[in-house]
Amino acid sequence: MSIVNSKVDSQNKSLWQVANGGAHIYALKTTSTFSNVVSDPGSIIYISQATDGYVLRGQGLDTKILTGGHYLKIYNSRSREGAYWLYATDSGTAAYIKDNNNIVDKSGNSGYILANTSRAEPEVDWEILPINNKEQYFGITPEVSIGDKHYSTIYAGFPFVMSEGMKAYYIKETNQTLAEIVKISGTTIPAETPVILECSSADPTVNRITLLTNYTGSVKDNMLKGIYFSYVMPSINGGEATTDLANELRNVVPYDPKTMRILGEVDGELCFVTASDLKYLPANKAYLSVTSDTAETLKIVDENSYTDDDTGIIDLRNDNNNVDAAAFANGSAFSIDGKKANRQTKGVYIINGKKIAIK
């Protein structure tokens, strides 16, 4: 049975990696704690039936492609009632879908999906739980809260419908200090579309979304990006493992503070910010790719506030008023065309996301 190696494509979407006799599908995650699953797109797997078997899809992965065109078989487990085995065969050789649950993190036992020829139990025993929006549901856990509004970004391989009280946005345009936000009409979000979600609650039980099997819509001019994966093998002593296998399995996008911004809050306002302690981009979250001369904080504004005209001026200063001297000195003052301004003279500038006219 052939197993295709497709670690990272041009869009930074991790599918799987062949290493140590198996296909490590670490974009598809496993955990023993439901609170870790409820908001994790990596825990969602679509199962479709064909004449010759089944196909599993999730996080950009298709098991038919993974196994070189083979369909999976699903049978009752011989060792555990209510569980199933998932495998494909070719020329008498079987490859099993397993749970590589040898990772322990702060939130509970966790791992990822592995495919190889070993039938070790209980790693091959699977409970298949349908998403029914009742006891088995998917909900959004916000990352940022401002007043009674709660926000999160998501990048998922499936389309979904937002519940009542939720809104979705994308970023249409940016300059060196501002990001223009646009509300998505309707309640359905296409697959592989990074968005900002506004929720009315911090509780994922309230922020439930309905997963769809297909949807043909799209969002144009979206500057947000996302990735499916962020995996490093942890060391038993903490930190990252550095063994040959760990190095082979490491599949991440390093965070670049000069050219990447993530969702955050500054002075009670929603912004895209520079993270201070982030090593790798998180999986299934949206981020902004920016130029290296962009300000550390991009204030999120609507189209009217983003429009570059004189009506956007919110303050007038005399030429000899040096209250903004520090902004010019530390490179956080910008001209209207987005270039850094290191000298305070007469003109219009953008400082801390606000238009300042110095006369």
Side-chain angles (χ1 to χ4, degrees), residues 68-212:
H70 292 76
Y71 289 95
L72 291 181
K73 308 296 183 183
I74 300 179
Y75 286 109
N76 293 324
S77 169
R78 298 176 184 175
S79 58
R80 181 177 171 188
E81 185 177 354
Y84 298 87
W85 289 352
L86 293 75
Y87 63 94
T89 59
D90 184 27
S91 302
T93 301
Y96 292 85
I97 302 296
K98 301 171 58 179
D99 179 11
N100 185 35
N101 59 354
N102 61 352
I103 308 167
V104 177
D105 59 26
K106 295 180 180 179
S107 54
N109 293 324
S110 63
Y112 59 86
I113 290 180
L114 169 70
N116 66 17
T117 56
S118 171
R119 202 178 69 190
E121 301 168 358
E123 288 87 354
V124 295
D125 292 332
W126 291 96
E127 289 187 45
I128 300 176
L129 304 176
I131 302 296
N132 56 19
N133 273 353
K134 295 179 181 178
E135 66 275 8
Q136 310 296 338
Y137 65 90
F138 192 98
I140 302 299
T141 300
E143 308 159 46
V144 179
S145 294
I146 301 175
D148 59 355
K149 295 182 179 180
H150 310 273
Y151 301 90
S152 179
T153 64
I154 186 172
Y155 176 68
F158 49 79
F160 62 88
V161 178
M162 299 179 291
S163 60
E164 185 177 355
M166 297 179 66
K167 300 176 183 178
Y169 303 88
Y170 68 95
I171 298 300
K172 181 180 179 180
E173 192 173 346
T174 65
N175 58 29
Q176 270 67 19
T177 60
L178 301 174
E180 180 186 349
I181 193 170
V182 178
K183 183 180 180 295
I184 298 175
S185 60
T187 59
T188 304
I189 306 302
E192 298 189 335
T193 303
V195 294
I196 303 169
L197 294 179
E198 179 185 307
C199 307
S200 60
S201 173
D203 184 356
T205 304
V206 178
N207 307 326
R208 299 189 187 197
I209 61 176
T210 301
L211 279 55
L212 304 178

Side-chain angles (χ1 to χ4, degrees), residues 300-333:
I300 297 177
V301 297
D302 60 18
E303 181 181 9
N304 291 333
S305 298
Y306 187 83
T307 301
D308 236 355
D309 57 37
D310 289 342
T311 60
I313 297 175
I314 55 86
D315 198 1
L316 292 174
R317 306 275 175 89
N318 292 324
D319 188 29
N320 59 358
N321 187 344
N322 289 320
V323 294
D324 296 308
F328 287 89
N330 63 26
S332 60

Side-chain angles (χ1 to χ4, degrees), residues 132-299:
N132 56 19
N133 273 353
K134 295 179 181 178
E135 66 275 8
Q136 310 296 338
Y137 65 90
F138 192 98
I140 302 299
T141 300
E143 308 159 46
V144 179
S145 294
I146 301 175
D148 59 355
K149 295 182 179 180
H150 310 273
Y151 301 90
S152 179
T153 64
I154 186 172
Y155 176 68
F158 49 79
F160 62 88
V161 178
M162 299 179 291
S163 60
E164 185 177 355
M166 297 179 66
K167 300 176 183 178
Y169 303 88
Y170 68 95
I171 298 300
K172 181 180 179 180
E173 192 173 346
T174 65
N175 58 29
Q176 270 67 19
T177 60
L178 301 174
E180 180 186 349
I181 193 170
V182 178
K183 183 180 180 295
I184 298 175
S185 60
T187 59
T188 304
I189 306 302
E192 298 189 335
T193 303
V195 294
I196 303 169
L197 294 179
E198 179 185 307
C199 307
S200 60
S201 173
D203 184 356
T205 304
V206 178
N207 307 326
R208 299 189 187 197
I209 61 176
T210 301
L211 279 55
L212 304 178
T213 55
N214 57 71
Y215 176 67
T216 57
S218 63
V219 176
K220 297 180 179 180
D221 302 321
N222 187 4
M223 293 190 65
L224 293 172
K225 296 183 178 182
I227 60 172
Y228 283 135
F229 64 100
S230 184
Y231 176 77
V232 295
M233 181 179 288
S235 168
I236 58 175
N237 298 319
E240 297 179 24
T242 56
T243 63
D244 291 342
L245 178 60
N247 292 333
E248 197 170 359
L249 292 181
R250 184 178 290 107
N251 203 358
V252 296
V253 174
Y255 173 70
D256 182 356
K258 293 183 178 179
T259 61
M260 295 175 178
R261 301 292 181 269
I262 63 173
L263 192 68
E265 175 268 335
V266 176
D267 296 331
E269 295 185 293
L270 196 64
C271 303
F272 273 94
V273 302
T274 303
S276 59
D277 56 354
L278 187 63
K279 188 172 184 179
Y280 305 120
L281 285 176
N284 298 111
K285 296 296 183 181
Y287 71 97
L288 265 180
S289 179
V290 298
T291 57
S292 58
D293 59 348
T294 300
E296 291 188 356
T297 298
L298 287 177
K299 183 180 178 181

